[in-house]
Amino acid sequence: MTAPLSPEQLSQLSFWLAGQAKATKVTLDSVQRLSGGAISVNLAMDLIITDGPLAGRQAVVFRSGSPSGVSASLSKAQEAAVLQAAFNAGVTAPEPLFVEPTGGLLGAPFYIMRRASGVAAGHRLVKAAPSPALAHDLGTQLGRLHAIRPGAPGLDFLPMPPDGIVDACLDAYRDWLGEVAGNDPVMAYAMRWLDRRRPATGDLVLSHRDYRTGNYMVDDGRLTAIIDWEFAGWSDAMEDLGWFCAACWRFGKRDQEAGGIGDRVDFYAGYEQASGRAIDHAAVGWWEVMAHLRWAAIAVQQAMRHVSGAEPSLELALTGRMVAEISYDMLQQIDRMEGGA
């Protein structure tokens, strides 16, 4: 599903939603494609619900998968379940309302969640003045998420990582990179460095695994929603912190080490207060290197979706062109870890 829904599909969706919402009628209004969404299709719409517990106008987002997604992403039903667990844990995340897991209705599985106000675009968010309060709140939200541990209800579908989580990550990213893993000297060097400098494994928690500027929404300086949960899974608690602080996700604001929007001291403080877990600074730095390797592997995968002809897209093609910059940032982080900067 790569375009807004057809009139026939909108009619089918309206009828289905009426049953799901226990309503007399559901009218779809103001349906429009949202920007972004290289992996998922996102449509903003208003549901005008007649009768039932959700009667009234509900601002929502419809999320459906792209025809050729990234291999590590969750199904839409699984993503909705993770989102529900996060919402229940007090994370500022949109509440999922309806889930269609089979794809039988519209040709692809989807779910519908409440729509938050604000801006998510990273290049716009980093133009604001640094915000200690926002950095602290983002740390707090991550701490709440990391309170969810294996065995939590409703998340049995998430695979448990093997004892060697570092080996699992390196094997996965090597596979994602394909021939690039052996042909690119920077990727080969980074994988060797990560293998040799691996930290001790930390607490296993529910991780967003794409927790960064660009995947949360801000309205007038206030955090309104953590979004884009398709990579979530069990992982080392320090991985999300390294991903958030990695230079590749600061959108040019390199001196603002917490996602380009603030100081990592404030981000760390919010996390430690909410989670009761001390930051392992060396481990976070190591996971920052891993973040660059992972982002490079994702960029290669997205470029191949375009190059293969499976999903021609200028956005996907340009993402592949970012590998050189990601490689530079990764080498800079390795140099810092080795005491060279």
Side-chain angles (χ1 to χ4, degrees), residues 3 34 52 56-57 63 90 98 149 168 184-185 216 229-230 233 280 290:
L34 294 174
R57 180 180 285 266
R63 276 176 67 81
F98 309 106
R149 305 295 295 272
D184 188 297
Y216 57 83
W229 293 79
E230 58 258 56
D280 183 334
M290 184 68 94

Side-chain angles (χ1 to χ4, degrees), residues 308-324:
S308 68
E311 192 174 349
S313 163
L314 178 60
E315 181 181 5
L316 296 178
L318 291 175
T319 300
R321 300 284 291 178
M322 297 175 65
V323 172

Side-chain angles (χ1 to χ4, degrees), residues 307-341:
V307 172
S308 68
E311 192 174 349
S313 163
L314 178 60
E315 181 181 5
L316 296 178
L318 291 175
T319 300
R321 300 284 291 178
M322 297 175 65
V323 172
E325 182 180 354
I326 298 167
S327 298
Y328 175 80
D329 286 335
M330 180 165 56
L331 291 175
Q332 288 285 94
Q333 178 62 17
I334 289 175
D335 194 44
R336 282 188 287 272
M337 295 290 291
E338 292 293 330

Side-chain angles (χ1 to χ4, degrees), residues 20-312:
Q20 296 294 306
K22 297 180 175 58
T24 304
K25 180 182 180 182
V26 174
T27 301
L28 309 183
D29 190 32
S30 304
V31 180
Q32 55 185 310
R33 184 76 176 263
L34 294 174
S35 60
I39 295 172
S40 295
V41 175
N42 300 316
L43 303 176
M45 58 180 68
D46 288 349
L47 308 182
I48 304 173
I49 302 176
T50 304
D51 301 324
L54 294 174
R57 180 180 285 266
Q58 306 290 343
V60 302
V61 171
F62 168 101
R63 276 176 67 81
S64 178
S66 292
S68 54
V70 171
S71 58
S73 58
L74 299 174
S75 72
K76 288 305 151 198
Q78 292 170 339
E79 186 181 325
V82 168
L83 187 58
Q84 186 68 63
F87 180 82
N88 292 344
V91 177
T92 301
E95 180 184 10
L97 298 175
F98 309 106
V99 182
E100 202 294 296
T102 70
L105 184 70
L106 300 177
F110 65 86
Y111 72 91
I112 293 175
M113 62 182 180
R114 293 193 186 277
R115 188 166 81 241
S117 62
V119 173
H123 68 280
R124 292 179 59 185
L125 291 176
V126 300
K127 290 179 180 179
S131 174
L134 180 58
H136 190 280
D137 193 10
L138 285 160
T140 298
Q141 302 305 317
L142 192 58
R144 291 174 181 170
L145 177 66
H146 286 183
I148 304 173
R149 305 295 295 272
L155 299 178
D156 294 343
F157 60 87
L158 290 176
M160 291 296 294
D163 291 337
I165 190 170
V166 170
D167 290 325
C169 288
L170 289 174
D171 288 346
Y173 306 157
R174 185 180 293 109
D175 181 61
W176 296 1
L177 285 164
E179 293 182 356
V180 175
N183 296 339
D184 188 297
V186 175
M187 299 304 155
Y189 170 68
M191 284 188 285
R192 184 170 181 268
W193 185 90
L194 286 160
D195 182 41
R196 296 181 64 187
R197 297 291 193 273
R198 61 179 65 201
T201 301
D203 294 337
L204 199 63
V205 299
L206 181 60
S207 300
H208 185 283
R209 304 203 76 217
D210 201 8
Y211 197 81
R212 62 173 178 84
T213 299
N215 281 344
Y216 57 83
M217 301 188 70
V218 176
D219 192 355
D220 194 26
R222 179 179 60 88
L223 180 69
T224 57
I226 310 296
I227 58 175
D228 289 348
W229 293 79
E230 58 258 56
F231 289 131
W234 307 119
S235 189
D236 188 302
M238 297 299 106
E239 182 184 14
D240 274 343
L241 285 96
W243 186 257
F244 187 86
C245 293
C248 55
W249 296 124
R250 299 178 198 163
F251 294 89
K253 288 295 184 76
R254 300 193 175 243
D255 59 326
Q256 301 299 317
E257 295 186 356
I261 53 89
D263 195 303
R264 74 168 73 213
V265 171
D266 298 305
F267 177 64
Y268 285 177
Y271 180 82
E272 289 184 331
Q273 290 172 17
S275 68
R277 180 181 296 110
I279 300 289
D280 183 334
H281 294 265
V284 172
W286 183 92
W287 280 107
E288 287 181 53
V289 178
M290 184 68 94
H292 289 95
L293 179 68
R294 178 171 171 239
W295 176 213
I298 292 171
V300 168
Q301 274 205 327
Q302 293 196 4
M304 289 307 300
R305 287 162 60 191
H306 168 80
V307 172
S308 68
E311 192 174 349

